[in-house]
């Protein structure tokens, strides 16, 4: 059956057709996003939800979305999606961060020009029949210093445009490397230096706990007298009341704002002040941008629902369409390793370590780790997946670590999963052979070569004579057929393990008989979904 997607906001017909062309059944109801009750009533029928800003994907709506796998936001902002709630339900949340980058960057440059030359006020005055030429004395852009806070997708475009305008550009971004700054032609600085030297300041960072109020009263006081401040990123990055006071005092010469702390912004401390230019969140409002983000979200959602490719996800590692088929068997392997350890571990897990050896170290390990965590938790929570598992691990306070290393053994690459509790350590390693199927190659640091079976029994015991006979007799007396088995030990008289493949679930009475033998320390049934 083809996956179904509901489009509850305005998307172009071209975007809707992309869904159909990719084999997705699409229900186009562009006004539905405003009817939250009707939306909640039908959302359970869909695998995907494509939205803009009108639809609010609240925790209540997500709870009703029993079949939903992906929410696609046509645009960069996901303030209208409850991401933690979606993650807990295993729903991927995607946005389109590149579709409106140029448009937003151009709007920031346009506001900079408007503030520098007082264009809106001059226009209003002139059209009112006045000719106040001396009143609107502006400043040149050329030769001035622009301070860019945030040099990511949009910020880097602003930097490029500013350099073309013959401006000196200072960039503050903790994630900007010195090499990248040199490549861009900007000077990487700390925030205080930027504030002290910039003639214009423009912000291009997301709203986080660290960036909220990044330009507060204290920071504004550090700015160069006569500075002009532009914000096309997110409301709340700048303290509007503090900025208003700085404008009134003459310390700040002007401001251009497209975003506000409260939106729709029907009032603001900035409204009515001289040389303040305000627009109603128009950063992404061009014909080209709106079409680009619509097409992009349709392509991303279709690729995920049809091919399993994940791109621009907020709460899930990206998996390209090209790497999805290569990664698929290793995702299956990681899931199997997690499921094995999850079923043989009785006490609460405190630490998880995942080792990627050889070729696996060069793969998309974030996706592999998510799969391993999903398998690990599934014995406790049946509806967990690669999206929700990392959230659950974090909420439980479990320490997670990844190790990557070059090839060390006979296998081109393998994955080893180790978990620690207060009382035990469990580990299992596996690889993928040429047939694409996962194989166990090590359990408890004991080497072996074992397939993954639908029904298995895992036994650990002291290596003493007669154990194979005892195990076989016990199964035979219980009428349970052993289809195959794999044995392993480190050395004579040490720990030994056995993996037995059986035709169906094993009676608890049989397991109790095994456990009654003093040489057997552990006997546990293991079940896997085998394709």
């Amino acid at each position: 059956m083809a996956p179904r997607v509901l489009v509850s906001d305005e998307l172009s017909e071209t975007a809707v057709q992309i869904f159909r062309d990719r084999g997705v059944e699409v229900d186009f109801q562009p006004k539905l996003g405003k009817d939250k009750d009707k939306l909640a009533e039908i959302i359970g029928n869909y695998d995907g939800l494509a939205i803009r800003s009108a639809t609010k994907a609240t925790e209540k709506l997500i709870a009703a979305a029993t079949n939903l796998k992906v929410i696609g936001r046509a645009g960069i902002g996901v303030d209208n999606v409850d991401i933690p709630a979606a993650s807990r339900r295993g729903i991927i949340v995607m946005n389109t961060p590149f579709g409106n980058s140029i448009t937003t960057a151009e709007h920031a440059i346009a506001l900079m020009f408007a503030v520098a030359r007082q264009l809106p006020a001059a226009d209003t005055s002139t059209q009112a029949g006045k000719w106040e030429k001396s009143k609107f004395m502006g400043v040149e852009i050329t030769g001035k210093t622009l301070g860019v806070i945030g040099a990511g997708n949009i910020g880097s475009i602003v930097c490029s445009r500013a350099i073309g305008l013959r401006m000196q550009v200072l960039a503050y971004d903790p994630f900007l490397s010195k090499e990248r700054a040199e490549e861009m032609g900007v000077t990487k600085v700390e925030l205080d230096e930027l504030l002290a030297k910039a003639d214009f300041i423009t912000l291009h960072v997301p709203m986080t706990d660290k960036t909220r109020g990044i330009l507060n009263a204290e920071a504004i006081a550090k700015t160069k007298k006569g500075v002009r401040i532009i914000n096309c990123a997110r409301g709340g990055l700048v303290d509007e009341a503090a900025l208003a006071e700085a404008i009134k005092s003459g310390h700040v010469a002007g401001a251009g704002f497209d975003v506000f702390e409260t939106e729709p912004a029907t009032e603001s401390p900035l409204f009515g002040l001289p040389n303040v230019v305000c627009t109603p969140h128009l950063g992404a409002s061009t014909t080209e941008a709106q079409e680009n983000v619509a097409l992009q979200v349709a392509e991303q959602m279709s690729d995920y629902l049809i091919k399993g490719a994940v791109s621009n996800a907020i709460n899930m590692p990206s998996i390209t369409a090209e790497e999805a088929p290569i990664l698929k068997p290793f995702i299956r392997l990681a899931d199997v390793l997690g499921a094995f350890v999850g079923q043989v571990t009785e006490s609460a897990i405190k630490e998880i370590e995942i080792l990627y050896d050889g070729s696996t170290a060069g793969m998309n390990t974030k996706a592999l780790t998510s799969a391993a965590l999903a398998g690990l938790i599934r014995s406790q929570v049946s509806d967990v997946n690669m999206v929700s598992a990392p959230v659950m691990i974090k909420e439980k306070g479990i320490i997670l670590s990844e190790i990557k290393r070059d090839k060390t053994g006979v296998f081109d690459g393998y994955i080893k999963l180790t978990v620690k509790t207060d009382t035990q350590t469990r580990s299992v390693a596996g690889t993928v052979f040429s047939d694409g199927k996962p194989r166990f190659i090590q359990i408890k640091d004991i080497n072996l070569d074992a397939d993954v079976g639908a029904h298995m029994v895992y036994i650990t015991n002291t290596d003493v004579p007669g154990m194979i006979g005892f195990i076989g007799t016990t199964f035979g007396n219980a009428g349970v057929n052993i289809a195959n088995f794999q044995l392993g030990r480190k050395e004579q008289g040490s720990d030994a393990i056995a993996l037995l493949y059986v035709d169906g679930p094993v009676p608890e009475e049989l397991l109790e008989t095994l456990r009654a033998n003093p040489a057997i320390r552990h006997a546990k049934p293991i079940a896997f979904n085998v394709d």
Side-chain angles (χ1 to χ4, degrees):
M1 180 180 295
R4 300 185 68 196
V5 166
L6 172 65
V7 179
S8 59
D9 286 345
E10 292 285 354
L11 248 65
S12 69
E13 282 292 341
T14 305
V16 173
Q17 189 61 42
I18 285 176
F19 282 117
R20 297 187 178 119
D21 292 343
R22 301 285 182 92
V24 176
E25 182 181 335
V26 60
D27 187 359
F28 184 44
Q29 299 191 47
K31 305 298 183 183
L32 186 61
K34 298 177 181 179
D35 188 345
K36 60 182 182 180
D37 292 332
K38 180 63 176 178
L39 181 59
E41 180 183 329
I42 68 171
I43 190 63
N45 299 322
Y46 299 93
D47 301 286
L49 175 65
I51 62 175
R52 285 193 185 273
S53 58
T55 299
K56 310 301 179 185
T58 63
E59 183 175 11
K60 181 178 179 181
L61 178 68
I62 289 169
T66 52
N67 292 311
L68 202 63
K69 300 174 181 64
V70 58
I71 297 173
R73 164 69 162 99
I76 191 170
V78 288
D79 302 344
N80 55 326
V81 180
D82 190 327
I83 295 173
S87 299
R88 286 192 293 270
R89 290 296 300 269
I91 300 170
I92 292 177
V93 180
M94 298 176 171
N95 67 349
T96 54
F98 307 111
N100 55 17
S101 297
I102 291 176
T103 294
T104 304
E106 287 184 353
H107 196 69
I109 296 293
L111 283 178
M112 185 168 65
F113 272 111
V115 173
R117 302 303 295 268
Q118 304 182 64
L119 297 179
D123 172 72
T124 300
S125 170
T126 304
Q127 294 208 41
K130 303 175 184 180
W131 194 260
E132 301 175 297
K133 187 174 181 180
S134 61
K135 181 179 180 180
F136 300 110
M137 184 64 64
V139 296
E140 289 186 1
I141 296 291
T142 301
K144 296 299 190 298
T145 297
L146 174 64
V148 180
I149 300 177
N153 297 327
I154 297 173
S156 62
I157 297 173
V158 171
C159 290
S160 173
R161 301 297 191 268
I163 291 170
L165 293 170
R166 301 298 188 267
M167 300 184 80
Q168 305 297 318
V169 181
L170 305 178
Y172 166 70
D173 189 325
F175 302 101
L176 178 66
S177 67
K178 181 180 179 180
E179 292 75 18
R180 174 57 177 157
E182 291 176 353
E183 180 183 324
M184 292 168 58
V186 306
T187 302
K188 176 179 169 64
V189 297
E190 294 301 317
L191 182 59
D192 282 356
E193 183 178 352
L194 182 149
L195 298 177
K197 294 182 176 180
D199 299 299
F200 293 83
I201 296 174
T202 181
L203 297 100
H204 300 286
V205 293
M207 173 61 76
T208 67
D209 291 339
K210 291 184 178 180
T211 61
R212 186 182 302 277
I214 191 170
L215 289 190
N216 55 20
E218 181 181 358
I220 292 171
K222 296 178 181 179
T223 59
K224 183 178 182 180
K225 181 175 174 56
V227 70
R228 292 166 171 83
I229 297 174
I230 311 299
N231 187 10
C232 291
R234 280 287 176 267
L237 296 175
V238 182
D239 184 328
E240 293 174 17
L243 177 58
E245 290 302 316
I247 293 173
K248 292 175 184 177
S249 73
H251 182 77
V252 175
F257 268 56
D258 187 47
V259 291
F260 299 88
E261 293 178 21
T262 301
E263 294 185 1
T266 55
E267 57 182 27
S268 167
L270 298 174
F271 288 178
L273 294 180
N275 203 23
V276 173
V277 181
C278 297
T279 53
H281 207 143
L282 299 179
S285 296
T286 65
T287 302
E288 294 88 350
Q290 293 301 299
E291 182 71 358
N292 287 342
V293 296
L295 301 181
Q296 189 177 344
V297 81
E299 290 169 353
Q300 290 177 188
M301 293 178 68
S302 297
D303 282 348
Y304 173 65
L305 292 171
I306 300 298
K307 302 177 183 178
V310 180
S311 55
N312 297 322
I314 304 298
N315 58 350
M316 167 80 179
S318 292
I319 303 173
T320 67
E322 291 75 22
E323 72 179 344
I326 299 172
L327 204 60
K328 184 176 180 180
F330 288 91
I331 287 178
R332 170 63 177 158
L333 169 65
D335 184 277
V336 163
L337 297 179
F340 181 89
V341 174
Q343 293 179 74
V344 300
T345 305
E346 292 87 4
S347 49
I349 296 172
K350 301 294 184 182
E351 296 182 34
I352 302 171
E353 178 185 283
I354 306 178
L355 168 66
Y356 296 102
D357 185 284
S359 62
T360 62
M363 294 182 179
N364 186 340
T365 57
K366 288 186 177 181
L368 297 177
T369 294
S370 296
L373 298 180
L376 185 63
I377 298 175
R378 192 172 297 112
S379 60
Q380 302 174 13
V381 183
S382 60
D383 60 350
V384 69
N385 66 11
M386 290 172 62
V387 177
S388 56
V391 177
M392 295 181 185
I393 291 296
K394 185 175 181 179
E395 289 177 344
K396 292 175 181 289
I398 298 172
I399 299 172
L400 173 65
S401 60
E402 287 185 11
I403 299 173
K404 300 179 183 180
R405 70 185 186 193
D406 294 334
K407 178 182 174 183
T408 60
V410 297
F411 299 101
D412 287 337
Y414 68 87
I415 303 172
K416 183 177 181 179
L417 172 64
T418 303
V419 301
K420 297 180 181 179
T421 73
D422 286 335
T423 59
Q424 61 186 186
T425 297
R426 299 289 191 194
S427 68
V428 60
T431 189
V432 175
F433 283 5
S434 58
D435 60 3
K437 295 181 180 179
R439 305 273 292 190
F440 296 114
I441 60 172
Q442 191 182 84
I443 299 174
K444 289 185 64 176
D445 293 327
I446 297 173
N447 295 329
L448 75 164
D449 179 8
D451 289 322
V452 177
H455 297 281
M456 307 172 73
V457 178
Y458 170 62
I459 299 173
T460 63
N461 60 276
T462 304
D463 182 32
V464 296
M467 288 307 302
I468 296 176
F470 169 74
I471 293 171
T473 299
T474 302
F475 274 77
N477 290 340
V480 176
N481 183 51
I482 298 175
N484 197 358
F485 64 90
Q486 292 289 333
L487 306 174
R489 70 178 185 183
K490 285 186 176 179
E491 56 188 25
Q492 184 177 352
S494 64
D495 286 346
I497 60 173
L499 280 177
L500 284 74
Y501 300 76
V502 293
D503 296 333
V506 177
E508 183 62 28
E509 295 81 2
L510 186 158
L511 297 171
E512 290 299 330
T513 301
L514 293 173
R515 294 167 186 153
N517 187 308
I520 292 181
R521 291 190 298 277
H522 194 85
K524 185 79 173 178
I526 308 293
F528 296 103
N529 291 322
V530 179
D531 297 333

